[in-house]
């Protein structure tokens, strides 16, 4: 089978060689499309492939239509909002992710952003400490849980909201479960966002939630920019000179007017570590090799 590794944001070299080793060792051919700047390059590259490994690369209905032999797409990472699931399902294409494989990198960045904001973006002046503050976790999945555990290591009190996770799972971690999103935001000095971008969540984090945060409240978004209501966020930052927003997914609107109360990395970088690239990339390669060898669809997200 011909398998395309399509990564506009390339994996570390060690991950790429590991992916090749696994797939070529299983008798497959690997094609590489990295750092492409035009969707036309992706459309041309998928023309004769049976499988794809992607990151945040967009697999649209147009890409699916341009890939008549495509049988499986593995998103090497967690969120698969970049894949048109309906278009894939219509064609019988299996879509998988690699849950948990890049979570630690994202969790470490979330804590790094908290410290960065607490210390005035590492410029001179008096900052504050994380210890003793309340850390709210919005969605207790793989990343949210790791952020919670790291926060506890910093001496933070951790509260979390996630209706899909059993209270017992949070109890075991020593994390306090809150029953509503409103209660989560109103209690959190630091709020770490880990919800996926879905029709329900898009634009759902807005003025009311942000304005309810305690004095000095800091929202950290390493999830998706689409979940933020940017107008509401701007209004809250305008009205409250104590609120802060830090993210690794730059908003569409400009927030530069908020000075050191706003920070965005120039490119999404939560999962940009060699370890995360290797974990997610190799997991994706194993899942594809296994799918073609045995039909295993364990991580399929469009069942
Ligand atoms: C994910 O959903 O796995 C993360 O957002 C990482 O995305 P990336 O592979 O584009 O860095």
């Amino acid at each position: 089978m011909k398998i395309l590794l399509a990564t506009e944001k390339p994996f570390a070299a060690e991950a790429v060689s590991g992916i090749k080793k696994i797939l070529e060792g299983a008798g497959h051919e690997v094609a590489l499309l990295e750092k492409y700047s035009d969707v036309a390059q992706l459309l041309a590259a998928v023309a004769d492939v049976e499988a794809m490994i992607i990151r945040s690369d967009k697999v649209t209905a147009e890409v699916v239509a341009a890939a008549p032999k495509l049988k499986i797409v593995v998103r090497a990472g967690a969120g698969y909002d970049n894949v048109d699931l309906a278009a894939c399902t219509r064609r019988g294409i299996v879509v998988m992710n690699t849950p948990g494989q890049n979570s630690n990198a994202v969790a470490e960045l979330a804590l790094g952003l908290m410290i960065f904001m607490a210390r005035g973006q590492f410029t001179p002046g008096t900052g504050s400490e994380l210890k003793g503050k309340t850390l709210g976790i919005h969605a207790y999945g793989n990343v949210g849980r790791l952020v919670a555990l790291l926060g506890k290591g910093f001496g933070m009190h951790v509260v979390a909201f996630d209706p899909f996770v059993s209270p017992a799972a949070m109890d075991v971690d020593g994390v306090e479960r809150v029953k509503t999103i409103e209660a989560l935001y109103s209690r959190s000095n630091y709020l770490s966002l880990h919800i996926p971008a879905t029709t329900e969540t898009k634009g759902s984090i807005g003025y009311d939630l942000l304005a309810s945060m305690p004095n000095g409240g800091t929202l950290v978004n390493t999830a998706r920019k689409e979940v933020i209501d940017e107008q509401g966020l701007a209004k809250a930052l305008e009205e409250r000179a104590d609120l802060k927003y830090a993210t690794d997914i730059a908003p569409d609107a400009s927030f530069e007017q908020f000075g050191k109360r706003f920070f965005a990395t120039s490119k999404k970088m939560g999962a940009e570590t060699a370890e995360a690239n290797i974990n997610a990339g190799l997991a994706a390669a194993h899942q594809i090799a296994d799918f073609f060898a045995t039909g295993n669809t364990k991580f399929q997200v469009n069942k």
Side-chain angles (χ1 to χ4, degrees), residues 9 11 54-57 75-81 102 106 222-224 248 268-272 277:
K9 195 170 58 182
F11 276 142
I54 54 161
R55 295 185 66 176
S56 290
D57 307 79
R75 193 283 191 237
Y80 44 87
D81 47 306
N102 59 14
V106 182
T222 55
R224 289 290 182 272
D248 75 325
K268 188 165 99 167
M269 61 173 294
E272 284 288 74
N277 287 180

Side-chain angles (χ1 to χ4, degrees), residues 16 105 149 177 268 292 299:
V16 176
L149 299 178
R177 176 175 165 265
K268 188 165 99 167
F292 284 124
F299 295 103

